[in-house]
Amino acid sequence: MGAGIMTQVSAFPPPVLPGLRNLLSRYAESTMWLARYMERMENMARLIEVTSTSVQAGNMDAGWDSVIRINADDALFFQHHEAATERSVVSFYITDRDNPDSIVSMARCARENARVLRPLISTEMWMHLNVFTRWVMDLGPDDVGAGYLSTLCTRLKQDCQTHFGITEGTLYRDQAWLFYILGKNLERADQITRLIDIKYHTLLPSGAGVGSNIDMSQWTSVLRSAAAYHAFRRVLPEGMTPANIVGFMLKNDGFPRSLSASLRGVDCALASLAGEYRLRHCGPCQERVEELRVTLVEQTVEDIIMRGLHEYMDWIQRQLRQIQNDIAQAFWPPVVSVQA
């Protein structure tokens, strides 16, 4: 796996000269990261809930250590915990304020970015974010016990989905909306590749070939971790195999969280920024996204698995990080202080 998940709080110094360009850059950055944090919190809540159910059902191969590996947090986690138990992992990823990937930390960052965007977002959007993030930041160890975990994760998912619904219905359709779409789809692409990479190699027995039969309940948990179970069963009701599941989550354009659908969303947003709004410097980002889409279309899932699923997922993640860096360099480059 590559480096850990990126974190960011928009923190621009006061511009030397007030003007529209600085304001638009600041809003663009905050909008993208607000979308990424809200998407990431929902994904984390779902992953914790599904992992808890899987472990309780006796699927120890899909245990708590996989949550740490998906988020590439091995070093940070084991600095403070001896073993990946339910108690240690749940507290690390929900209430640990020293972990930048915890839900409490992400809620704080989402709130700070929303504060920057207050002049742009609707009253409904701000009110919901305000109540939701305050509730999350007040969570403590007593709120994440085994008896409360399912209810807690359900509320986290529902509140994130409520945010997306309010945003879709109230956020004005200008550049800010396009940067929101960019953030949401970049996060989905990153999360789906991490999930596939770790879960596939965790579940596939040593020496097993492509298409090997594995306990259906284990693969069901993989689909549920990506909110893909019902969509998959609708399209492939008799096809519960590793290759079919990986192929669905990577290549199915009808599933909104698939890698293919996410890359299409990124591509469309960049095209609109470059075309409708004539924002410069989109070229390198668009070329990189197009390369990813072409490699995905030209290979079958069997080709990807046989040539090395881990290597391909790792390459995708590196390209996604570079796309994020290209966007940042193009639209909110670091402010260079020049002294007389």
Side-chain angles (χ1 to χ4, degrees), residues 52-273:
S52 176
T53 302
S54 299
V55 171
Q56 290 173 8
N59 299 328
M60 299 307 293
D61 287 338
W64 291 104
D65 61 320
S66 66
V67 179
I68 302 168
R69 294 168 60 199
I70 286 171
N71 291 282
D73 285 328
D74 303 64
L76 181 60
F77 179 85
F78 288 108
Q79 282 180 8
H80 305 283
H81 302 280
E82 294 183 358
T85 64
E86 176 177 356
R87 183 180 181 85
S88 63
V89 173
V90 167
S91 63
F92 183 72
Y93 281 113
I94 295 183
T95 59
D96 190 339
R97 285 162 174 75
D98 294 326
N99 174 20
D101 290 331
S102 73
I103 288 176
V104 166
S105 295
M106 289 188 282
R108 184 178 64 250
C109 292
R111 181 181 179 82
E112 289 305 310
N113 281 290
R115 285 169 62 88
V116 173
L117 295 168
R118 188 63 190 93
L120 268 66
I121 62 179
S122 67
T123 300
E124 294 87 350
M125 191 174 168
W126 168 250
M127 288 178 63
H128 177 264
L129 277 166
N130 186 36
V131 173
F132 170 61
T133 54
R134 283 186 177 276
W135 169 71
V136 173
M137 290 189 291
D138 286 340
L139 290 174
D142 294 339
D143 300 310
V144 297
Y148 307 103
L149 191 57
S150 178
T151 301
L152 175 65
C153 290
T154 297
R155 178 172 175 182
L156 286 166
K157 292 186 297 179
Q158 289 177 345
D159 276 342
C160 290
Q161 291 161 1
T162 299
H163 160 78
F164 292 129
I166 294 172
T167 302
E168 195 280 332
T170 65
L171 186 60
Y172 188 73
R173 295 311 197 258
D174 60 1
Q175 297 100 319
W177 169 254
L178 294 173
F179 279 104
Y180 188 93
I181 295 299
L182 272 177
K184 181 170 73 171
N185 283 286
L186 280 172
E187 188 63 32
R188 285 183 174 180
D190 180 73
Q191 292 289 338
I192 202 77
T193 52
R194 290 173 182 273
L195 177 67
I196 291 170
D197 188 11
I198 296 302
K199 288 293 189 180
Y200 184 87
H201 290 94
T202 298
L203 295 178
L204 196 67
S206 177
V210 176
S212 300
N213 292 321
I214 303 178
D215 182 4
M216 184 177 293
S217 65
Q218 295 178 335
W219 285 107
T220 296
S221 72
V222 175
L223 290 168
R224 291 190 185 280
S225 296
Y229 177 75
H230 292 289
F232 178 86
R233 298 295 287 177
R234 177 178 173 183
V235 176
L236 294 166
E238 306 298 330
M240 190 71 76
T241 67
N244 281 347
I245 291 171
V246 170
F248 182 82
M249 293 198 292
L250 284 181
K251 295 169 68 71
N252 191 291
D253 281 330
F255 174 51
R257 295 179 183 272
S258 74
L259 178 61
S260 177
S262 299
L263 291 176
R264 184 183 63 214
V266 172
D267 192 30
C268 290
L270 287 171
S272 295
L273 288 170

